[in-house]
């Protein structure tokens, strides 16, 4: 039909177009051709009807209307397919661009794990089988692949295997897979695949070899080892059942050689399995009883009961693993400790392997495993395999590389292999400059042990010297360029080189040259460096060079010059002449005089700085006093004097209880709403409010503040700390804090009360207490910490009395080195969290990102980014450090914040005429208005400051002190009367 011919004719045009899109690649051209043929078949199927009686009618019998309908149908189908192909091509082009980007990224940094995974996924999606095979091979050379990646690769290769060569290739892949991790599923897949090749030469032996290796590897696995045993046993049982029909026709000799021997293999598998403590052992024992025609031997029953007893010992650890969530590191550590006490090497190795499957990125676990193998088993292939897997999983950990080099040397690995391993370590991307120094030192130690120093010159000695030179150049160029430091400020590598030249090569000239270089790198001011050089000269040099070294040390040392001078005088006293002694005394006295003069000048300078600070503090104090004096002059007179006196009385009454700090426990409760009759509202004759004058906002605010001043103070009940949270850093301008905060905290649970804190004048102090009905609501409210409220980050912390819990810390962020977290500085203030997260996601999985802000919620240009593991963090440092964001050059480093300073406790001081009392503590602004004491000296009594709690003063004791009973609070009028009596 004509409609079927149209897409067929359009077919040749689609092929060159697809070829141009694929840049002439053969695979893409074939794919385009296949799509073109599929399109033509689809159009033909859509336009032709099912064959019937009129199928072979000539074309002229078809009416014109039928032809138009067919043409319209074909056109619509063709257009829909064209749109689909256009969308498909657009998606394909997008994937190709992403593949090119990932390949370029890997060309820059081949240790980007996530980039490898994404590239393999896209290539597999596009059907690029050759490229995806190459990508998988490259990744497997650098990283151990997970169980999922290996199974996906194996299934793809199995589906494409056609002949014996392909089967051998799959076998090779299985061998690589079982070396990365001990995975029961991969071993099971390996055994089942080998069964498929039983018809080939040596196929039966191959199957049994695979299953035997699987049993030795994972047969002790208590939860997953059962599947391997059952698969092996089912295979051998199938052979028995296949031989059973012909067994009756065999001679006794042939029967014993074939059928009976095969039957014994099944018996042997049952007996071997029942000796090992595995889950569901009872079912296996019942199955053996049912299968066996003879009674089970007593020895097998005894071994089975013994295995059941062992299973009960292991069950608590296995159940802990089943109940815990991945990665279950703590549970595995406890299980490892348990196995270590028992001491079975096979089970210890298995539990380590099980732990590493889920915790392959934990360097300490690899170190512990490799250390056990190095000290206990000492099997070369096993030890080197574990070390190799360790550095492939955690290439950023220098300790693993150093241990790997030692293990290779210990087991006599070829020198070229060790050198190649060292070069891989240099390219692993360590996160600290000191790591490079450590790996260089480990390799240099290995080269030093290869040298036979009895010979004057050898190939090994020349290689050692060349490597020392290369190490110094590498630290100076590569490491300093990346970290802005060499990582070796004390020049330990050069010191070791100098010792080798002096002690082992008897080349003091070279050693002196090296020490001169060490001193020129900023080490000449340290006494210990000069004394190290002096000891080297004493052991391998001569007295003249020792004297020169000490004379230079006297002139250059700045940290401990007295000690260097003493060493020089001691040497001259025992070995020197009179002239040498006079010169030494003269130089040491002159040097010590200069040092004392410098120290005196430094002390005077420091005293002058202290005096300047005291003068500035005095000036600030006078300025505050003058400002307060001006405020007092502007106070209202006459009728307002009584109100001012009342304010003064309030300040005198509550000065000791309420300090102007946000961490108080003395609280003001929010005044309840007044009823109409309490507010003296005039009601009209109709019962409605009579019209009244409305005060301006300023007077309304003053009235509200006066109402809050009249509310009695309510102390915090410490028994309710468990259901109470302390909320701070709220806006001071917030009106009705309780009403505004209640909807926010009611999302966490039922709120009993919100108590905002007000000053003596009725102003909101920016913090409050929120009391819930249930403790779980208070714990949930802590998640609101740092939530923005009216443009400021609200701080929510537990309500804890620090006098009872001195070790309680509110600061929730870590202050230790976190290798999986980055610290970014220099960010533009306009950079948002979403923008920064988009940049960081390109280098790994971002678990958390925090922009640092000040108390007002304004950004400070700093951020902390937490990645999934140390490898991603180290890669992000290399890629992002020095990056430009919105014209700002940022700095990126591993998070290592300084330790937070612990506030010093107030020192006890002894009051005149009284016992030792703690020093009075005040808020951030001092005592407040009442700076000068108006109490006569004759009436003064020592008073102890209230103990400070985490969020405010602790509640006062119920028993009053004698001083408090003798000196009650008095007003200004009382003081005036006292003065008038005198």
């Amino acid at each position: 039909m004509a409609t079927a011919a149209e897409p067929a004719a359009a077919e040749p045009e689609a092929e060159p177009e697809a070829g141009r899109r694929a840049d002439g690649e053969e695979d893409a051209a074939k794919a385009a051709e296949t799509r073109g043929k599929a399109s033509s078949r689809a159009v033909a199927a859509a336009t032709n009807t099912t064959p019937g009686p009129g199928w072979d009618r000539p074309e002229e019998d078809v009416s014109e209307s039928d032809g138009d309908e067919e043409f319209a149908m074909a056109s619509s189908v063709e257009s829909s397919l064209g749109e689909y192909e256009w969308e498909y091509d657009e998606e394909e082009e997008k994937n190709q661009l992403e593949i090119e980007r990932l390949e370029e990224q890997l060309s820059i940094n081949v240790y980007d794990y996530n980039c490898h995974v994404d590239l393999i996924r896209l290539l597999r999606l596009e059907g690029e089988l050759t490229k995806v095979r190459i990508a998988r091979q490259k990744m497997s050379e650098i990283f151990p692949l997970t169980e999922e990646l290996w199974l996906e690769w194996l299934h793809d290769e199995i589906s494409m295997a056609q002949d014996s060569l392909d089967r051998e290739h799959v076998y090779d892949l299985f061998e690589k897979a079982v070396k990365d991790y001990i995975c029961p599923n991969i071993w099971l897949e390996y055994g089942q695949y080998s069964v498929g090749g039983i018809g080939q030469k040596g196929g039966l032996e191959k199957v049994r070899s695979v299953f035997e290796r699987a049993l030795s590897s994972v047969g002790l696995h208590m939860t997953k080892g059962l599947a391997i045993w059952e698969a092996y046993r089912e295979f051998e049982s199938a052979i028995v059942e296949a031989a059973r029909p012909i067994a009756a026709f065999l001679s006794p000799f042939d029967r014993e050689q074939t059928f009976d021997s095969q039957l014994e293999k099944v018996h042997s598998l049952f007996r071997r399995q029942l000796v090992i403590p595995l889950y569901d052992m009872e079912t296996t024992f019942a199955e053996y009883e049912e299968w066996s025609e003879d009674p089970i031997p007593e020895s097998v029953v005894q071994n089975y009961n013994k295995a059941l007893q062992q299973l009960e010992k292991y069950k608590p650890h296995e159940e802990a693993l089943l109940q815990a969530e991945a990665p279950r590191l703590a549970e595995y550590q406890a299980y490892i400790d348990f196995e270590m006490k028992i001491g079975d090497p096979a089970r210890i190795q298995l539990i380590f392997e099980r732990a590493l499957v889920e915790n392959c990125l934990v360097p300490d676990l690899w170190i512990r495993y490799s250390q056990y193998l190095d000290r206990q088993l000492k099997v070369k292939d096993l030890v080197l395999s574990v070390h190799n897997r360790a550095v492939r999983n955690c290439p950023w950990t220098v300790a693993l590389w150093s241990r790997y080099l030692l293990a290779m040397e210990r087991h006599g690995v070829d020198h070229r292999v060790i050198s190649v391993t060292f070069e891989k370590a240099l390219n692993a991307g360590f996160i600290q400059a000191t790591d490079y120094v450590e790996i260089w030192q480990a390799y240099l130690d290995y080269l030093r042990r290869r040298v036979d120093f009895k010979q004057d010159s050898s190939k090994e000695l020349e290689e050692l010297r060349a490597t020392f030179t290369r190490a110094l150049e590498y630290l100076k160029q590569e490491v300093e360029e990346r970290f802005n430091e060499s990582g070796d400020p004390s020049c330990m590598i050069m010191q070791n080189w100098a010792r080798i030249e002096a002690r082992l090569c008897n080349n003091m000239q070279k050693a002196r040259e090296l020490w001169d270089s060490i001193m020129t790198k900023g080490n000449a001011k340290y006494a210990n460096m000069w004394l190290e050089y002096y000891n080297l000269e004493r052991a391998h040099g001569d007295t003249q060079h020792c004297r020169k070294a000490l004379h230079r040390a006297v002139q250059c040392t700045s940290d401990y010059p007295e000690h260097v001078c003493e060493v020089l005088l001691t040497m001259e006293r025992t070995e020197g002449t009179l002239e040498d002694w006079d010169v030494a005394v003269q130089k040491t006295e002159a040097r010590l005089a200069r040092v004392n003069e410098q120290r005196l000048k430094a002390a005077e300078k420091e005293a002058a700085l202290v005096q300047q600070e005291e003068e500035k503090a005095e000036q600030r104090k006078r300025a505050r006093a003058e400002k307060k004096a001006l405020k007092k002059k502007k106070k209202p007179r006459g009728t307002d004097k009584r109100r001012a006196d009342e304010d003064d009385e309030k300040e005198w009454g509550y000065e000791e209880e309420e300090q102007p700090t946000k961490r108080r426990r003395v609280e003001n409760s929010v005044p309840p709403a007044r009823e109409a009759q309490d507010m003296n509202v005039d009601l009209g004759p109709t019962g409605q409010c009579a019209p009244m004058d409305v005060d301006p906002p300023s007077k309304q605010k003053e009235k509200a503040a006066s109402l809050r001043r009249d509310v009695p103070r309510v102390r915090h009940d410490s028994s309710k700390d468990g259901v109470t949270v302390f909320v701070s850093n709220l806006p001071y301008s917030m009106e009705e804090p309780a009403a505004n905060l209640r909807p926010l905290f009611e999302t966490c649970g039922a709120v009993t009360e919100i108590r905002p804190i007000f000053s003596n004048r009725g102003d909101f102090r920016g913090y409050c207490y929120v009391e819930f009905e249930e403790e779980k609501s208070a714990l949930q409210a802590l998640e609101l910490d740092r939530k923005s409220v009216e443009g400021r980050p609200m701080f929510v912390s537990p309500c804890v009395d620090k006098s009872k819990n001195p070790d309680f810390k509110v600061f929730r962020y870590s202050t230790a080195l976190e290798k999986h977290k980055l610290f970014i500085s220099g960010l533009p203030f306009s950079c948002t969290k979403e923008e920064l997260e988009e940049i960081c996601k390109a280098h790994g999985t971002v678990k958390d990102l925090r922009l640092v802000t000040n108390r007002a919620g304004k950004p400070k240009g700093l951020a902390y980014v937490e990645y999934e593991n140390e490898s991603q963090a180290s890669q992000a440092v290399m890629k992002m450090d020095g990056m430009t964001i919105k014209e700002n050059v940022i700095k990126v480093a591993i998070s290592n914040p300084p330790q937070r300073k612990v506030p010093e406790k107030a020192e006890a001081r002894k009051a005149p005429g009284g016992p030792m009392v703690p020093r009075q503590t005040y808020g951030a602004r001092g005592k407040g208005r009442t700076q000068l004491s108006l109490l006569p000296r004759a009436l003064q009594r020592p008073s102890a400051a209230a103990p400070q709690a985490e969020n405010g003063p602790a509640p006062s004791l119920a028993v009053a002190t004698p001083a408090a009973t003798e000196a009650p609070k008095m007003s200004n009028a009382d003081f005036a009367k006292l003065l008038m009596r005198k």
Side-chain angles (χ1 to χ4, degrees):
M1 296 177 65
T3 55
E6 290 179 4
E11 209 173 291
E13 297 180 3
E15 291 183 13
E17 182 180 355
R20 287 192 298 270
R21 286 196 303 268
D23 296 330
E25 292 185 3
E26 183 179 356
D27 294 339
K30 290 181 179 179
E33 181 180 356
T34 303
R35 289 195 299 271
K37 292 180 180 179
S39 302
S40 63
R41 287 195 297 269
V43 174
T47 55
N48 290 314
T49 57
T50 306
W55 177 256
D56 295 330
R57 277 187 308 189
E59 186 176 350
E60 57 269 12
D61 291 343
V62 180
S63 64
E64 185 177 354
S65 61
D66 293 341
D68 294 340
E69 290 178 1
E70 290 184 0
F71 181 78
M73 185 182 298
S75 300
S76 63
V77 173
E78 186 177 359
S79 62
S80 63
L81 285 172
E83 293 177 358
Y84 173 77
E85 286 188 0
W86 182 80
E87 294 177 357
Y88 182 84
D89 291 342
E90 185 179 3
E91 183 68 21
E92 183 182 7
E93 183 178 358
K94 181 180 178 182
N95 289 341
Q96 288 295 334
L97 291 176
E98 180 65 14
I99 288 172
E100 293 177 1
R101 187 191 70 80
L102 292 173
E103 289 176 345
E104 183 180 358
Q105 181 79 8
L106 288 175
S107 65
I108 299 173
N109 178 22
V110 74
Y111 287 95
D112 193 333
Y113 185 89
N114 292 328
C115 193
H116 280 284
V117 175
D118 294 340
L119 178 61
I120 292 173
R121 178 181 56 82
L122 285 176
L123 290 174
R124 191 168 184 264
L125 183 64
E126 290 296 312
E128 301 284 353
L129 300 180
T130 304
K131 289 186 177 181
V132 75
R133 179 180 293 173
I134 295 174
R136 283 166 169 165
Q137 290 175 352
K138 289 182 178 179
M139 184 179 181
S140 64
E141 292 173 358
I142 302 172
F143 298 105
L145 303 188
T146 62
E147 180 180 349
E148 294 77 12
L149 290 175
W150 270 119
L151 289 176
E152 182 183 80
W153 188 1
L154 290 168
H155 289 161
D156 290 346
E157 296 292 342
I158 290 173
S159 63
M160 294 186 296
Q162 296 178 355
D163 52 18
S164 59
L165 293 178
D166 293 338
R167 178 170 288 274
E168 290 298 327
H169 173 66
V170 176
Y171 283 151
D172 293 338
L173 282 181
F174 270 114
E175 291 296 331
K176 292 181 180 179
V178 297
K179 291 178 180 178
D180 278 354
Y181 300 106
I182 291 185
C183 300
N185 292 334
I186 294 180
W187 275 112
L188 183 61
E189 193 78 19
Y190 192 7
Q192 292 174 348
Y193 180 73
S194 63
V195 173
I198 194 173
Q200 297 180 354
K201 183 180 179 180
L204 183 60
E205 290 76 10
K206 176 70 175 179
V207 175
R208 286 173 176 165
S209 173
V210 170
F211 274 116
E212 287 294 337
R213 291 170 56 203
L215 291 179
S216 63
S217 179
V218 295
L220 298 178
H221 199 300
M222 297 190 64
T223 56
K224 296 182 179 180
L226 181 63
I228 305 294
W229 284 102
E230 290 182 348
Y232 192 10
R233 198 173 63 246
E234 288 175 3
F235 168 73
E236 296 292 353
S237 299
I239 297 178
V240 171
E241 296 301 324
R244 191 181 296 276
I246 63 173
F249 302 100
L250 297 176
S251 63
F253 178 78
D254 293 338
R255 177 185 174 89
E256 182 180 357
Q257 292 294 324
T258 57
F259 183 75
D260 292 345
S261 63
Q262 183 63 33
L263 200 64
E264 181 61 28
K265 289 180 180 178
V266 179
H267 278 286
S268 176
L269 285 175
F270 268 116
R271 294 167 185 171
R272 289 167 59 190
Q273 181 180 351
L274 292 174
V275 174
I276 301 171
L278 299 173
Y279 270 33
D280 204 15
M281 290 185 64
E282 297 82 357
T283 305
T284 305
F285 186 77
E287 183 180 350
Y288 187 28
E289 287 181 324
E290 181 181 355
W291 182 85
S292 178
E293 298 176 354
D294 301 327
I296 299 178
E298 184 64 25
S299 60
V300 176
V301 177
Q302 292 178 359
N303 291 332
Y304 165 70
N305 293 329
K306 185 178 180 181
L308 283 177
Q309 295 176 0
Q310 293 178 352
L311 180 62
E312 293 300 322
K313 296 180 181 179
Y314 289 111
K315 268 188 176 180
H317 296 283
E318 293 290 345
E319 292 175 356
L321 291 175
L322 293 175
Q323 295 173 3
E325 297 182 357
R328 299 185 276 262
L329 180 59
E331 289 75 15
Y332 275 120
Q333 293 280 16
Y335 204 165
I336 291 171
D337 294 338
F338 174 75
E339 292 286 9
M340 286 285 195
K341 292 179 181 178
I342 296 177
D344 187 351
R347 300 198 66 89
I348 293 174
Q349 181 185 354
L350 177 63
I351 191 58
F352 267 118
E353 294 289 350
R354 289 177 61 184
L356 289 169
V357 170
E358 298 184 20
N359 301 275
C360 60
L361 300 179
V362 180
D364 293 339
L365 189 59
W366 284 107
I367 291 175
R368 186 179 181 186
Y369 185 25
S370 60
Q371 183 177 351
Y372 168 77
L373 296 178
D374 286 334
R375 296 179 179 178
Q376 302 296 329
L377 297 186
K378 301 180 181 179
V379 180
K380 177 180 178 180
D381 294 338
L382 178 60
V383 170
L384 296 181
S385 173
V386 171
H387 278 288
N388 183 34
R389 291 160 52 204
V391 297
R392 291 171 65 200
N393 276 281
C394 305
W396 64 88
T397 307
V398 68
L400 293 175
W401 288 102
S402 300
R403 290 173 177 270
Y404 191 16
L405 294 177
L406 288 173
M408 296 174 77
E409 181 185 2
R410 192 177 295 119
H411 292 282
V413 178
D414 186 70
H415 171 62
R416 288 172 293 182
V417 178
I418 297 178
S419 299
V420 171
T421 304
F422 169 70
E423 295 297 333
K424 290 181 180 179
L426 287 182
N427 298 323
F430 299 131
I431 59 178
Q432 293 180 349
T434 54
D435 293 344
Y436 287 94
V437 179
E438 183 176 346
I439 193 63
W440 273 109
Q441 192 61 61
Y443 186 57
L444 290 167
D445 292 343
Y446 156 71
L447 293 179
R448 194 265 307 164
R449 288 189 285 267
R450 294 182 69 242
V451 178
D452 183 8
F453 290 100
K454 295 179 180 179
Q455 302 178 6
D456 295 338
S457 179
S458 63
K459 180 180 178 181
E460 290 79 8
L461 179 58
E462 296 302 324
E463 182 181 5
L464 176 62
R465 287 171 172 165
T467 306
F468 267 116
T469 304
R470 183 190 169 199
L472 298 178
E473 293 177 355
Y474 187 91
L475 294 177
K476 182 178 180 181
Q477 298 176 2
E478 301 290 337
V479 178
E480 285 189 7
E481 182 179 352
R482 178 180 169 189
F483 297 99
N484 294 327
E485 59 170 329
S486 66
D488 191 14
S490 299
C491 301
M492 294 303 300
I493 291 180
M494 294 184 70
Q495 289 189 42
N496 291 334
W497 189 5
R499 294 189 190 99
I500 291 173
E501 293 288 351
R503 297 175 182 175
L504 301 177
C505 300
N506 297 320
N507 188 355
M508 277 303 300
Q509 183 61 31
K510 181 64 177 179
R512 294 183 184 110
E513 293 176 1
L514 291 171
W515 272 105
D516 287 339
S517 299
I518 292 172
M519 294 305 178
T520 57
K521 294 183 180 296
N523 295 300
K525 58 184 178 181
Y526 300 117
N528 64 325
M529 301 296 289
W530 284 108
L531 295 179
E532 186 72 24
Y533 179 30
Y534 165 74
N535 292 329
L536 190 67
E537 286 285 359
R538 291 286 294 179
H540 307 284
D542 51 41
T543 305
Q544 188 64 26
H545 284 92
C546 290
R547 183 174 288 109
K548 288 182 179 179
L550 289 178
H551 279 288
R552 292 174 60 191
V554 168
Q555 300 298 325
C556 301
T557 302
S558 59
D559 54 353
Y560 298 104
E562 294 88 352
H563 185 54
V564 174
C565 292
E566 182 180 355
V567 173
L568 175 60
L569 293 176
T570 301
M571 189 193 77
E572 299 297 356
R573 181 178 289 111
T574 56
E575 301 179 15
T577 62
L578 178 61
E579 295 179 357
D580 296 332
W581 171 261
D582 292 339
V583 172
V585 170
Q586 182 180 358
K587 287 190 174 182
T588 54
E589 289 180 353
R591 175 57 178 165
L592 293 178
R594 288 198 304 271
V595 169
N596 292 331
E597 184 179 355
Q598 292 173 358
R599 290 173 179 173
L600 182 61
K601 290 182 178 179
E604 293 176 353
K605 185 177 180 180
E606 184 177 357
L609 292 176
V610 172
Q611 185 178 0
Q612 290 179 4
E613 291 295 331
E614 292 178 353
E615 291 177 356
K616 290 181 181 178
E618 187 67 25
Q619 291 176 0
R620 289 193 294 268
K621 186 176 180 181
R622 286 198 298 267
R624 285 197 297 268
E626 293 175 358
K627 187 176 181 180
K628 289 180 180 179
L630 291 175
K631 286 184 178 179
K632 288 183 179 180
K633 290 181 180 179
K634 294 180 181 179
K635 282 186 177 179
R637 302 291 182 183
T639 58
D640 293 339
K641 184 176 181 180
R642 182 178 301 172
R643 185 183 303 171
D645 290 341
E646 292 176 358
D647 291 343
D648 290 340
E649 290 177 7
K650 289 181 180 179
E651 290 183 6
W652 278 92
Y654 291 98
E655 178 66 25
E656 294 299 326
E657 295 181 0
E658 292 199 13
Q659 299 296 339
T661 175
K662 68 174 183 178
R663 295 187 176 183
R664 295 179 299 171
R665 284 289 178 91
V666 181
E667 305 174 11
N668 299 337
S669 59
V670 180
R674 304 294 183 113
E675 301 294 337
Q677 60 270 24
D678 294 338
M679 298 183 68
N680 299 326
V681 178
D682 296 334
L683 300 177
T686 61
Q688 298 179 352
C689 294
M692 57 183 297
D693 296 335
V694 179
D695 294 332
S698 59
K699 289 192 175 183
Q700 291 179 5
K701 188 174 180 180
E702 292 178 1
K703 288 183 177 180
S706 64
L707 291 175
R708 288 193 286 263
R709 283 200 303 267
D710 296 337
V711 175
R713 272 64 173 174
V714 178
R715 296 188 181 276
H716 174 66
D717 186 2
S718 60
S719 63
K720 297 182 180 180
D721 285 349
V723 295
T724 307
V725 295
F726 179 71
V727 184
S728 60
N729 202 42
L730 295 169
Y732 298 110
S733 60
M734 179 181 287
E735 298 181 359
E736 299 298 334
N740 292 333
L741 295 175
R742 184 174 288 274
L744 177 61
F745 284 95
E746 282 181 345
T747 59
C748 304
V751 177
T752 302
E753 184 182 10
I754 297 181
R755 298 189 299 276
I757 307 302
F758 299 95
S759 65
N760 292 333
R761 297 186 180 185
D763 300 326
F764 180 50
R765 299 301 300 273
Y767 58 99
C768 65
Y769 295 85
V770 181
E771 181 181 336
F772 293 91
E773 292 183 359
E774 299 179 351
E775 185 175 355
K776 64 179 182 180
S777 302
L779 295 176
Q780 188 176 354
L782 296 177
E783 298 179 0
L784 298 176
D785 187 35
R786 266 58 178 190
K787 183 177 181 62
S788 179
V789 175
E790 296 186 9
R792 292 173 66 92
M794 174 181 66
F795 299 161
V796 183
S797 60
C799 190
V800 177
D801 187 351
K802 201 167 184 181
S803 63
K804 299 178 181 179
N805 299 276
D807 297 332
F808 176 78
K809 299 184 183 299
V810 179
F811 192 73
R812 64 175 185 173
Y813 301 111
S814 174
T815 58
L817 175 65
E818 296 176 287
K819 295 185 179 181
H820 66 288
K821 186 181 291 186
L822 304 184
F823 173 68
I824 305 177
S825 60
L827 289 169
F829 295 149
S830 60
C831 182
T832 63
K833 181 178 180 180
E834 291 75 16
E835 293 174 347
L836 183 58
E837 185 175 6
E838 190 66 25
I839 296 173
C840 296
K841 283 196 303 185
H843 309 291
T845 304
V846 178
K847 295 181 63 177
D848 185 34
L849 190 149
R850 176 169 63 94
L851 289 177
V852 182
T853 60
N854 57 16
R855 298 183 68 86
K858 304 297 182 182
K860 300 174 68 175
L862 309 174
Y864 288 91
V865 183
E866 181 179 356
Y867 280 95
E868 193 172 30
N869 52 56
E870 299 177 15
S871 176
Q872 296 178 3
S874 62
Q875 300 303 325
V877 170
M878 291 190 293
K879 296 300 180 57
M880 295 177 59
D881 189 27
M883 179 185 293
T884 302
I885 300 178
K886 295 182 180 180
E887 299 182 356
N888 282 40
V889 179
I890 65 173
K891 293 183 178 180
V892 184
I894 298 296
S895 176
N896 189 15
Q899 294 292 330
R900 293 177 61 84
K901 295 182 179 179
V902 180
E904 297 180 358
K905 297 181 180 179
E907 297 180 357
R909 61 185 181 90
K910 189 171 183 179
M916 296 290 289
V917 297
R919 180 175 297 178
Q920 182 69 36
T921 56
Y922 302 103
R925 300 185 181 182
K927 294 183 179 180
R929 292 177 57 191
T930 56
Q931 292 261 343
L932 302 176
S933 177
L934 300 178
L935 184 66
R937 295 180 181 176
L939 299 178
Q940 285 184 354
R941 296 291 186 273
S943 59
Q948 192 74 10
E950 171 64 22
N951 297 326
S956 60
L957 299 176
V959 181
T961 60
T965 57
E966 294 177 6
K969 299 176 181 178
M970 294 185 293
S971 64
N972 290 343
D974 295 333
F975 287 127
K977 292 177 182 179
L978 290 173
L979 294 173
M980 292 297 295
R981 289 175 186 173
K982 290 190 175 183

